[in-house]
Amino acid sequence: MGLGTTRGVALVGMAGALVDVEAFVTPGLPAFVVTGLPDTSLGQSRDRVRAALSGIGCALPSKRVTVNLSPASLPKQGAGFDLAVAVAVLAAEGRLGREVVRGWTHLGELGLDGRLRPVRGVLPAVVASVAAGLPRVVVPAENAAEAELVPGAQVVGAASLAAVVREHGGRVEDGCDPDDDGHRLPPATACPAPPPDLADVVGQVEARRAVEVAAAGGHHLLMLGPPGAGKTMLAARLPGLLPDLEDAEAVEVTAVHSVAGTFDASQGLLRRPPFEDPHHTATAPSVVGGGSGVVRPGAASRAHRGVLFLDEAPEFRKDVLEALRQPLEQGSLVIARAGGAARYPARFQLVMAANPCPCGRSSGKGEHCSCSPLERRRYLARLSGPLLDRVDLQVEVTAPSRAALAAGEPGESTAPVAARVRAARSAQVERLAGTGATCNGDAPGSLLRGRLRLAQPVVADLDVALERGRLTVRGYDRVLRTAWTLADLEGAVTPTRDHVGSALLLRLRGRAA
């Protein structure tokens, strides 16, 4: 009889909570009980652990085994506790040193033959363990590269429960290690496809300029135009203009994708801004996050520090579009369920593309459009005023002319545009140091009206638009942010009235205030 204790990690959103996994073996009727608010998959760990222990020659005795996950009031999900439960049971039986395993954190799912299988969320789990003063972590071999990305972590990657037992000084029967059969498949390696080049877009000088401004300042963008004008091509090329992520940002983005199960550890930290483009039939949980039982991050969180592209935006469900209003302002998503709430980061650039009407042919003179004026208004009204009020740049994209196609001259490629974007971002980082913002799109309104306040003659056009009701106070601030970005792209110290006027036209789709 004895008590064996080791550590696991429970994830609530992106936050990891250290869990004491305690096992107690006593005489009595054979039973295996798991307490401490486990979900269904975690409650079934008793069968996986029992089979895995038998597979390595450490079969459970005919006694009562009680496993407690403390704190008991914290809900725990998933099979990632399997390894910790097995190690705690072995320590309780005296097969492993109790003081040895107490100082380790164990993460991983067990197969019935004792193999360790990868689990989601290893990166934030290891971060939580190291922050709690437990840097020694055992993870499945497939998750080892991911866990090693955490500074200060002492990671042991194991392929099986037998390997973990040996690591802690225990003994297993010869020939019981499933790694000896040589059937493990080598990891698949895939070369990432090169990013699309901006030179592929024919014409569209104004729209290309809007994409450059959006990338330089981290602004949200709406492109309105007929089918085939190049809206989707422009949106797909925007991530290539963005600079690489800083170290802290890369860890944060990688952690989100680790929890979502979309992270490939063989590529290391995600250094490039992510790009998410959900289909217009996507549901609200798939975009903002959710799910039954375990709350998973949605496309909005997976696009954190990158781009969320909604093609055919008016075709998205109303609840999906309106659910984006909170993260556009706050940069995070709080998903509440009966069992608690999970917070995920969601500071993304929203890019939307839309046709001007259901048939898509009302641009220009609209001579070939078959939609009535009422149908056009209803179609665009699917993008609500409060949502559009959060979009900095709203531009109309026209169909390329026959002359532009005949000329065949390629536009400016991605490389020089990305260089200008990097220079503009560097100026913004220096100017916004100490404010918590890193680009103009995140600059708080109090800063724009305080230390960065512009002279009245410079913002005269904005004042007129605000007085006439063409702008809200939020829109006023967003135009100022865009004006600062235009100035940064030109290397100006402060925006001029021309910069403010150009920013206002970019917001009002080219219409005068």
Side-chain angles (χ1 to χ4, degrees):
M1 295 187 298
L3 176 68
T5 303
T6 187
R7 303 300 199 285
V9 177
L11 291 178
V12 182
M14 295 296 298
L18 212 63
V19 174
D20 289 338
V21 182
E22 304 168 327
F24 193 57
V25 181
T26 58
L29 293 176
F32 195 126
V33 181
V34 180
T35 65
L37 285 185
D39 69 348
T40 302
S41 61
L42 178 50
Q44 294 170 346
S45 65
R46 59 181 179 272
D47 300 315
R48 294 190 294 271
V49 170
R50 189 186 299 275
L53 291 176
S54 298
I56 64 171
C58 299
L60 286 176
S62 297
K63 297 181 180 180
R64 180 178 180 84
V65 179
T66 303
V67 175
N68 181 52
L69 309 175
S70 179
S73 60
L74 177 68
K76 295 109 183 149
Q77 302 94 15
F81 285 91
D82 286 2
L83 179 59
V85 170
V87 170
V89 170
L90 289 173
E93 289 188 297
R95 295 176 183 268
L96 294 178
R98 293 169 186 168
E99 293 302 320
V100 173
V101 301
R102 185 186 297 273
W104 286 79
T105 300
H106 295 86
L107 307 170
E109 176 184 348
L110 283 174
L112 298 183
D113 60 351
R115 295 182 188 274
L116 277 180
R117 295 174 177 171
V119 293
R120 296 181 178 184
V122 165
L123 183 61
V126 175
V127 169
S129 180
V130 173
L134 294 172
R136 295 182 295 177
V137 184
V138 178
V139 299
E142 289 88 341
N143 292 127
E146 177 182 351
E148 290 170 352
L149 297 174
V150 180
Q154 301 173 21
V155 179
V156 173
S160 66
L161 178 59
V164 177
V165 172
R166 295 193 187 98
E167 176 67 27
H168 293 318
R171 299 179 61 184
V172 296
E173 294 181 1
D174 294 336
C176 291
D177 194 332
D179 290 333
D180 295 339
D181 58 16
H183 292 311
R184 185 176 296 274
L185 296 176
T189 57
C191 297
D197 199 294
L198 199 58
D200 300 334
V201 181
V202 177
Q204 305 299 357
V205 177
E206 294 83 3
R208 291 166 62 99
R209 176 63 171 170
V211 169
E212 179 179 347
V213 173
H219 302 291
H220 308 304
L221 171 65
L222 167 65
M223 292 180 286
L224 191 67
K231 305 185 295 297
T232 303
M233 291 183 67
L234 287 166
R237 283 149 182 79
L238 193 152
L241 304 179
L242 300 176
D244 289 342
L245 301 175
E246 299 293 334
D247 289 345
E249 296 173 340
V251 170
E252 191 176 28
V253 170
T254 304
V256 173
H257 285 258
S258 174
V259 173
T262 58
F263 173 58
D264 182 3
S266 64
Q267 299 179 4
L269 283 177
L270 298 178
R271 293 287 183 179
R272 292 298 304 156
F275 179 76
E276 293 287 333
D277 54 344
H279 192 260
H280 63 261
T281 58
T283 61
S286 69
V287 175
V288 301
S292 60
V294 181
V295 177
R296 299 294 185 194
S301 293
R302 295 196 303 272
H304 180 59
R305 301 293 180 185
V307 176
L308 176 64
F309 176 46
L310 304 184
D311 201 4
E312 307 295 345
E315 302 294 340
F316 278 80
R317 289 170 39 172
K318 182 178 180 62
D319 61 333
V320 174
L321 296 174
E322 298 305 309
L324 295 176
R325 287 158 55 177
Q326 177 201 1
L328 288 177
E329 288 293 322
Q330 300 180 2
S332 63
L333 276 163
V334 179
I335 305 169
R337 293 291 183 267
R343 179 182 294 272
Y344 289 109
R347 190 168 296 281
F348 54 85
Q349 279 185 253
L350 177 63
V351 178
M352 297 188 291
N355 294 327
C357 65
C359 76
R361 294 179 292 180
S362 67
S363 297
K365 297 181 180 180
E367 297 176 348
H368 303 289
C369 179
S370 59
C371 305
S372 68
L374 180 60
E375 288 176 322
R376 298 176 191 174
R377 288 196 299 271
R378 284 180 174 174
Y379 186 74
L380 292 181
R382 297 178 184 176
L383 303 177
S384 68
L387 176 62
L388 292 180
D389 197 40
R390 292 166 166 80
V391 180
D392 308 34
L393 311 177
Q394 304 177 24
V395 298
E396 293 188 353
V397 182
T398 59
S401 64
R402 179 173 175 273
L405 291 175
E409 296 181 1
E412 194 173 19
S413 65
T414 294
V417 180
R420 293 196 296 269
V421 169
R422 287 194 299 270
R425 286 285 184 111
S426 298
Q428 295 166 39
V429 170
E430 182 178 352
R431 181 173 61 248
L432 298 173
T435 65
T438 57
C439 61
N440 290 331
D442 298 333
S446 58
L447 179 66
L448 298 172
R449 296 186 295 271
R451 177 165 63 89
L452 301 181
R453 185 182 183 89
L454 301 178
Q456 200 283 328
V458 177
V459 296
D461 295 334
L462 274 185
D463 293 337
V464 171
L466 183 64
E467 187 69 23
R468 292 179 178 177
R470 300 295 303 278
L471 286 177
T472 63
V473 176
R474 180 193 286 120
Y476 190 101
D477 289 343
R478 290 191 175 275
V479 173
L480 288 178
R481 295 184 181 109
T482 305
W484 276 101
T485 300
L486 292 172
D488 291 333
L489 285 170
E490 295 181 6
V493 178
T494 58
T496 64
R497 185 170 183 176
D498 289 341
H499 293 138
V500 174
S502 298
L504 185 59
L505 289 176
L506 283 172
R507 175 159 181 104
L508 300 178
R509 304 181 198 169
R511 298 188 295 269

